[in-house]
C-alpha cells in the first residue's frame, strides 16, 4: 500500500556515491528538488495536487476544495474536441450491446433488455446511444428457469435515446437537493435532530438521529421494511416508516446501513417544513428551473409508449410493471417518496449532472451554492471506513465506488445507482460524466445485477482519456484484467555493486487496497524476491512508498527512484488485482539503472529487448 515512510528513501547522497557514470546527469537533475530538511517539510512528505496545496504527508490525495467549477452548457460534439480517444468512445455502444445477451461475466440471462447511455466531457456530449428493447417481455416463467416470455414482435418497443426510465434510487439525489436548498435557506439544519421537524420520528428511541445522518445513511435505521404489504393505506405506511425502530444493535452515527427508510423520512421532512408535496418541490426547485421536461413522478398515460418496462410482479398483483414506479413501497405510497418514484431520460439527467459540475448552476438557474456542492462531496463517513469499507458517502451521493465507477473513481467522484438498473457517475477531476439507464429488472430482478455493464462502460470512458508517455513513444502498461498477477522484469547486465539506483517514471490509479503494484528485487536471477522502497518525486516534493503503491496516484506521472541492494540481478514490477473492479491502471516508462560498477540497464536504448513480461504490453495511451 502506498504510504508515507518513516525511512528517508533514496537521497542525493546515494547518487554521489555512484560517481559520474553513465546517466548520472539525468538522475541528479531529476532529484534536484528542495531537500526536505532545507525546504521545511519532513522526509517522506510530498507536495501533491490537492488538499488546498502546500506540503502534505504521504501519497497524493484530492478533496472537494480542489475542484474547479467551470460553467458549461451542454452541446453535442466529437470526442477529439475534448481530447478523448474516439475508439474508446465508440466502444461504449459496442459494450452496451454486448450485454443484451448472456456473457461470460453475466451467464444464464441477458444483463438487460435494453439501455440508453450518455457520456460527456467539458460540456460536450460525445455519445448518446440506445440499444435493445424498452419493452420486450409479457411475463416470466416459473422458477428455477425463470424464462422470459416475449411479447409478439409487433408489440415489442425498441429503446430510443429519449426513452423514459424509472430511476429508482437515483430519485434520492433529487430529494437531497430539495433538502439542501432548505438548509441554505436556514429552515433545516443538517445537525439538528430529525424530531425537531418530525416529532413522531422519536418512536423507537431515535431522538438523537440528525438530518445529516439520514443523508449519509448512518442513523441506525434498517435498510428496508415491507410497508407495501404490511399496512393497508398510504398514511399508515408513511407513519410506519417514521416509527421504524433502530436496526438490531444500531445507534445514531455509529454504523453505515444504506436505508430507504431514511430517505422516506427525509422526503416527509421537507414536505412538513415547506407545507408542499415532494413532487411539487422537486418540480419547482429542481426540474422546472433546469428545464428537465421529461422528469417527474407518476408519468402520464400518454407517455407510456416512451417508458421502459420493468418487472413482472404477480406477487404484488401488478403483472408487468410499465409506466408506474417499480419500487413496491414507493408504489404503495402513491408513486412519490423520498427514496424512489422519479422518472427521467438520459438527456434530462445530463443537465442535472452538468449543473453539479458547474458548481450548482446551469444556464443561469442557480440550484445550489458552490459551497453546498463541495459539502455534498466531502466523505462524511470517513471515520467509519475501517469497519464499513463501502461507507464512503457525501450528502446524499455515493463517493469513490470502483464497483460501478471503475476507472473514473476518485475520492471526489460521485454518483448513485438505482435498483432498476440505472446509474450516474460524475468525475469532477476530468469534468466528465457517464449516464447508464437500463431496464435490467425486465422481466425479472433474479436475472441478476448489471454492475458488470456499469463497470465496462465506465472503463471505456476512463480509457478514452489518454495517458501519454512523458517522453513520447510507448510506455509499459499492465494488462487490464480481474483476479490477475502480471509482471514486468528487467534483468540487469551484471549484479549491482555496492551502490546502485534505479530510476523510472510511473503512472498509477488502482482500486485502493485491492489492486496493488509491488516493487521487488532479486539477487538470484528471479528465484526469490524482496520488496524495495521507492521514492516518488513530483514538483516541489517527494514521498516514499514502502514496497508498493495502491489507490489514487494523482492522475499524473511520477519520477520514481529506488536504491538497489548490492548483488541485485533483476528488478520486477508485479501488479495484482482482485476478482472485480479496477481503476485506470498502471504505466511504467524510461527505466534506467546505474551503479558504482557502471550502467546496469537502459530500458529506452540497448536493453529494451531484455525486458521480460507476463501481462504487460507497450502502449502509447
Amino acid at each position: 500500500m502506498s504510504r508515507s515512510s518513516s525511512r528517508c528513501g533514496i537521497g542525493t547522497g546515494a547518487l554521489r556515491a555512484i560517481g559520474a557514470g553513465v546517466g548520472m546527469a539525468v538522475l541528479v537533475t531529476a532529484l534536484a528538488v528542495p531537500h526536505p530538511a532545507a525546504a521545511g517539510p519532513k522526509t517522506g512528505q510530498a507536495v501533491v495536487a490537492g488538499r488546498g496545496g502546500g506540503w502534505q504527508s504521504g501519497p497524493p490525495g484530492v478533496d472537494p476544495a480542489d475542484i474547479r467549477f467551470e460553467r458549461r452548457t451542454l452541446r453535442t460534439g466529437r470526442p477529439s474536441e475534448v481530447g478523448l480517444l474516439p475508439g474508446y468512445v465508440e466502444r461504449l455502444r459496442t459494450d452496451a450491446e454486448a450485454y443484451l445477451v448472456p456473457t461470460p461475466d453475466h451467464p444464464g440471462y441477458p444483463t438487460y433488455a435494453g439501455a440508453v447511455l450518455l457520456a460527456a466531457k467539458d460540456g460536450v456530449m460525445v455519445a448518446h446511444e440506445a440499444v435493445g428493447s424498452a419493452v420486450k417481455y409479457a411475463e416470466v416463467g416459473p422458477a428455477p428457469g425463470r424464462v422470459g416470455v416475449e411479447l409478439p414482435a409487433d408489440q415489442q418497443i425498441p429503446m430510443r435515446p429519449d426513452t423514459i426510465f424509472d430511476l429508482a434510487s437515483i430519485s434520492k439525489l433529487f430529494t437531497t437537493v430539495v433538502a439542501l436548498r432548505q438548509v441554505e435557506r436556514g429552515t433545516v439544519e443538517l445537525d439538528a435532530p430529525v424530531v425537531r421537524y418530525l416529532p413522531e420520528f422519536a418512536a423507537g428511541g431515535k431522538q438523537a438521529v440528525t438530518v445529516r445522518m439520514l443523508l449519509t445513511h448512518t442513523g441506525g435505521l434498517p435498510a428496508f421494511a415491507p410497508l407495501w404489504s404490511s399496512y393497508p393505506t398510504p398514511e399508515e405506511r408513511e407513519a410506519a416508516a417514521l416509527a421504524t425502530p433502530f436496526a438490531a444493535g444500531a445507534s445514531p452515527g455509529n454504523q453505515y446501513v444504506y436505508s430507504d427508510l431514511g430517505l422516506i423520512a427525509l422526503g416527509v421532512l421537507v414536505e412538513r417544513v415547506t407545507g408542499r408535496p415532494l413532487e411539487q418541490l422537486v418540480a419547482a426547485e429542481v426540474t422546472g428551473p433546469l428545464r428537465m421536461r421529461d422528469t417527474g413522478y407518476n408519468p402520464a398515460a400518454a407517455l407510456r409508449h416512451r417508458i421502459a418496462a420493468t418487472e413482472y410482479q404477480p406477487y404484488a398483483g401488478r403483472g408487468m410493471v410499465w409506466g408506474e414506479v417499480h419500487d413496491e413501497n414507493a408504489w404503495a405510497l402513491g408513486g412519490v417518496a423520498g427514496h424512489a418514484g422519479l422518472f427521467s431520460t438520459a438527456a434530462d439527467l445530463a443537465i442535472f449532472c452538468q449543473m453539479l459540475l458547474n458548481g450548482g448552476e446551469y444556464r443561469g438557474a442557480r440550484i445550489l451554492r458552490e459551497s453546498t456542492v463541495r459539502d455534498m462531496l466531502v466523505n462524511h463517513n470517513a471515520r467509519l471506513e475501517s469497519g464499513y469499507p463501502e461507507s464512503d458517502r457525501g450528502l446524499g451521493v455515493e463517493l469513490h465506488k470502483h464497483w460501478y465507477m471503475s476507472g473514473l473513481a476518485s475520492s471526489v467522484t460521485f454518483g448513485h445507482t438505482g435498483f432498476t438498473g440505472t446509474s450516474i457517475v460524475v468525475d469532477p477531476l476530468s469534468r466528465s460524466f457517464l449516464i447508464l439507464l437500463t431496464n435490467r429488472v425486465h422481466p425479472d430482478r433474479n436475472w441478476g445485477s448489471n454492475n458488470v455493464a456499469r463497470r465496462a462502460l465506465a472503463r471505456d470512458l476512463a480509457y478514452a482519456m489518454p495517458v501519454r508517455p512523458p517522453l513520447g513513444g510507448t510506455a509499459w502498461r499492465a494488462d487490464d484484467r480481474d483476479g490477475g498477477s502480471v509482471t514486468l522484469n528487467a534483468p540487469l547486465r551484471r549484479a549491482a555493486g555496492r551502490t546502485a539506483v534505479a530510476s523510472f517514471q510511473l503512472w498509477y490509479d488502482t482500486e485502493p487496497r485491492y489492486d496493488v503494484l509491488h516493487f521487488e528485487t532479486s539477487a538470484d536471477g528471479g528465484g526469490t524476491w524482496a520488496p524495495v522502497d521507492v521514492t516518488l518525486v513530483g514538483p516541489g516534493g517527494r514521498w516514499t512508498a514502502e514496497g508498493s503503491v495502491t489507490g489514487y496516484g494523482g492522475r499524473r506521472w511520477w519520477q520514481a527512484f529506488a536504491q538497489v541492494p548490492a548483488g541485485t540481478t533483476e528488478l520486477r514490477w508485479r501488479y495484482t488485482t482482485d476478482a472485480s473492479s479496477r481503476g485506470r491502471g498502471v504505466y511504467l516508462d524510461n527505466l534506467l539503472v546505474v551503479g558504482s560498477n557502471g550502467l546496469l540497464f537502459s530500458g529506452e536504448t540497448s536493453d529494451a529487448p531484455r525486458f521480460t513480461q507476463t501481462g504487460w504490453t507497450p502502449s502509447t495511451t
Side-chain angles (χ1 to χ4, degrees), residues 402 508-512 515-516 549-552 575 583-586:
H402 280 78
Y508 73 94
D509 184 75
T510 77
E511 184 184 15
D515 298 345
V516 183
V549 292
T550 185
Y552 177 71
Y575 182 46
R584 179 62 176 82
V586 173

Side-chain angles (χ1 to χ4, degrees), residues 37-190:
K42 299 177 182 178
T43 302
Q45 292 182 323
V47 169
V48 297
R51 302 172 186 164
W55 289 90
Q56 301 292 331
S57 297
V62 65
D63 67 29
D66 306 308
I67 297 171
R68 291 186 300 114
F69 295 120
E70 299 178 5
R71 295 188 184 181
R72 300 179 185 272
T73 301
L74 290 166
R75 64 177 178 86
T76 301
R78 298 184 304 277
S80 58
E81 294 179 51
V82 286
L84 296 178
L85 300 171
Y88 283 107
V89 174
E90 291 166 4
R91 280 177 55 174
L92 286 165
R93 180 184 179 91
T94 301
D95 285 344
E97 287 179 325
Y99 288 101
L100 295 172
V101 297
T103 55
D105 56 1
H106 196 284
Y109 304 98
T111 302
Y112 40 67
V116 174
L117 67 93
L118 192 153
K121 182 179 181 346
D122 293 325
V124 177
M125 295 183 290
V126 296
H128 186 189
E129 304 279 355
V131 300
S133 300
V135 182
K136 184 173 184 177
Y137 300 97
E139 57 182 308
V140 179
R146 297 187 180 277
V147 175
V149 179
E150 294 190 17
L151 291 162
D154 62 350
Q155 295 181 34
Q156 296 184 26
I157 300 176
M159 202 68 81
R160 50 193 246 185
D162 66 347
T163 293
I164 298 169
F165 286 81
D166 178 345
L167 297 183
S169 285
I170 291 179
S171 306
K172 293 180 172 74
L173 298 182
F174 290 79
T175 306
T176 294
V177 171
V178 168
L180 292 177
R181 285 174 63 89
Q182 296 305 313
V183 172
E184 289 184 349
R185 291 171 180 147
T187 56
V188 172
E189 295 181 18
L190 283 174

Side-chain angles (χ1 to χ4, degrees), residues 222-390:
F224 170 80
L227 306 173
W228 68 276
S229 60
S230 300
Y231 302 93
T233 67
E235 293 75 19
E236 290 173 279
R237 293 162 189 149
E238 180 180 292
L242 300 180
T244 300
F246 289 124
S251 58
N254 294 317
Q255 64 289 299
Y256 168 77
V257 177
Y258 178 75
S259 175
D260 282 353
L261 297 172
L263 268 292
I264 291 174
L266 186 66
V268 178
L269 185 153
V270 294
E271 289 183 329
R272 194 76 58 85
V273 167
T274 62
R276 303 177 68 185
L278 181 61
E279 64 267 34
Q280 290 184 16
L281 288 170
V282 169
E285 306 269 299
V286 186
T287 62
L290 292 177
R291 305 179 200 175
M292 297 171 63
R293 295 185 175 91
D294 284 324
T295 305
Y297 302 86
N298 290 321
L303 293 172
R304 194 167 187 250
H305 68 288
R306 285 182 54 202
I307 299 173
T310 54
E311 189 176 24
Y312 183 57
Q313 293 186 352
Y315 60 86
R318 306 179 70 190
M320 185 62 71
V321 179
W322 178 22
E324 60 183 14
V325 64
H326 167 267
D327 182 89
E328 297 93 337
N329 281 342
W331 167 65
L333 288 167
V336 182
H339 73 297
L342 204 63
F343 287 72
S344 189
T345 62
D348 269 10
L349 285 178
I351 295 171
F352 184 79
C353 292
Q354 192 64 48
M355 176 271 293
L356 293 171
L357 279 178
N358 288 357
E361 180 271 347
Y362 188 77
R363 293 182 65 179
R366 171 62 64 182
I367 306 300
L368 293 171
R369 300 170 186 163
E370 284 193 9
S371 59
T372 300
V373 177
R374 292 188 198 279
D375 198 28
M376 286 179 70
L377 307 186
V378 172
N379 182 8
H380 295 272
N381 292 348
R383 66 185 181 84
L384 298 175
E385 276 186 337
S386 59
Y388 300 88
E390 279 297 314

